[in-house]
């Protein structure tokens, strides 16, 4: 379970929705000040971890064309805040960890935060579709809006946007490329079409 003790943003699932598969993460509001970052090697290639010094705000993979992410001006290189995130990510990639326990503070719109929070209810080794997620959020016709928010998830792997697949079981878009999505799902024992 991913949790924090600060502000919780509501998931607002309707009464008719199926219960969450696992408890939804609580997100902190990002603290003011400079963004800190570090990089780490992973089976997906280099990952860029960033946040406010107390909470993780993002985990980015290389872009689809494998070019490194550009570090925004004003960010400060500082690996210290990411030691535990790196440890947990390494444990996940070796199959020793199924649930992350990190303070998270993604920045996004209210809708994006609702979708990202709903993503955290999808258990390790399971998948769901965009339409089902839209229904769970009380907006059954909003599968495209769910897909758009899913594609903007800044905390890849930990907020498991890779667990959302097409209604027919096929792989669909992933900001880091479909091969990375396939790798993550295979690691979790899922064999999509």
């Amino acid at each position: 379970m991913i949790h924090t003790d600060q502000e919780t943003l509501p998931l607002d699932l309707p009464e008719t929705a199926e219960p969450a598969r696992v408890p939804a993460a609580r997100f902190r509001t990002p603290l003011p000040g400079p963004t800190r970052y570090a990089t780490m090697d992973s089976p997906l290639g280099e990952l860029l971890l960033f946040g406010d010094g107390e909470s993780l705000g993002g985990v980015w993979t290389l872009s689809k064309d494998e070019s490194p992410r550009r570090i925004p001006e004003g960010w400060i290189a500082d690996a210290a805040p990411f030691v535990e995130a790196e440890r947990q990510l390494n444990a996940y990639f070796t199959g020793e960890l199924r649930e992350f326990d990190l303070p998270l503070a993604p920045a996004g719109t209210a809708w994006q935060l609702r979708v990202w929070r709903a993503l955290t209810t999808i258990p390790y080794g399971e998948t769901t579709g965009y339409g089902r997620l839209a229904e769970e959020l009380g907006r059954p016709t909003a599968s495209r809006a769910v897909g758009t928010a899913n594609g903007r998830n800044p905390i890849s792997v930990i907020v498991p946007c890779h667990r959302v697949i097409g209604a027919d079981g096929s792989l669909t878009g992933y900001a880091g490329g479909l091969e990375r999505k396939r790798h993550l799902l295979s690691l979790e024992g899922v064999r999509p079409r």
Side-chain angles (χ1 to χ4, degrees), residues 41-191:
D41 291 329
S42 82
L44 303 178
E46 184 180 81
L47 298 179
L48 174 66
L49 288 64
F50 63 91
D52 60 19
E54 290 185 20
S55 300
L56 189 63
V59 176
W60 289 349
T61 62
L62 295 173
S63 62
K64 290 178 191 176
D65 67 0
E66 299 298 315
S67 61
R69 296 279 184 164
R70 188 173 158 197
I71 306 297
E73 189 174 325
W75 284 22
I76 298 170
D78 181 3
F82 307 103
V83 170
E84 181 60 15
E86 187 171 345
R87 185 194 70 73
Q88 288 188 34
L89 282 162
N90 283 325
Y92 168 82
F93 288 126
T94 60
E96 298 170 18
L97 181 80
R98 291 178 171 230
E99 292 182 19
F100 293 94
D101 186 12
L102 297 165
L104 304 176
T109 67
W111 171 251
Q112 288 170 335
L113 292 167
R114 282 185 67 208
V115 171
W116 301 338
R117 217 170 149 237
L119 294 174
T120 68
T121 70
I122 307 167
Y124 181 98
E126 292 188 26
T127 60
T128 194
Y130 298 98
R132 180 165 178 208
L133 213 50
E135 287 176 16
E136 291 175 2
L137 289 166
R139 300 206 26 216
T141 61
S143 59
R144 283 190 180 188
V146 166
T148 299
N150 191 54
R152 293 192 174 132
N153 169 29
I155 309 178
S156 65
V157 183
I158 295 169
V159 174
C161 55
H162 61 277
R163 295 180 188 154
V164 183
I165 60 175
D168 64 356
S170 64
L171 287 184
T172 54
Y174 188 67
L178 291 181
E179 284 309 308
R180 286 189 180 102
K181 184 171 187 168
R182 184 181 316 281
H183 180 85
L184 290 168
L185 291 173
S186 293
L187 174 72
E188 297 182 12
V190 177
R191 303 280 183 248

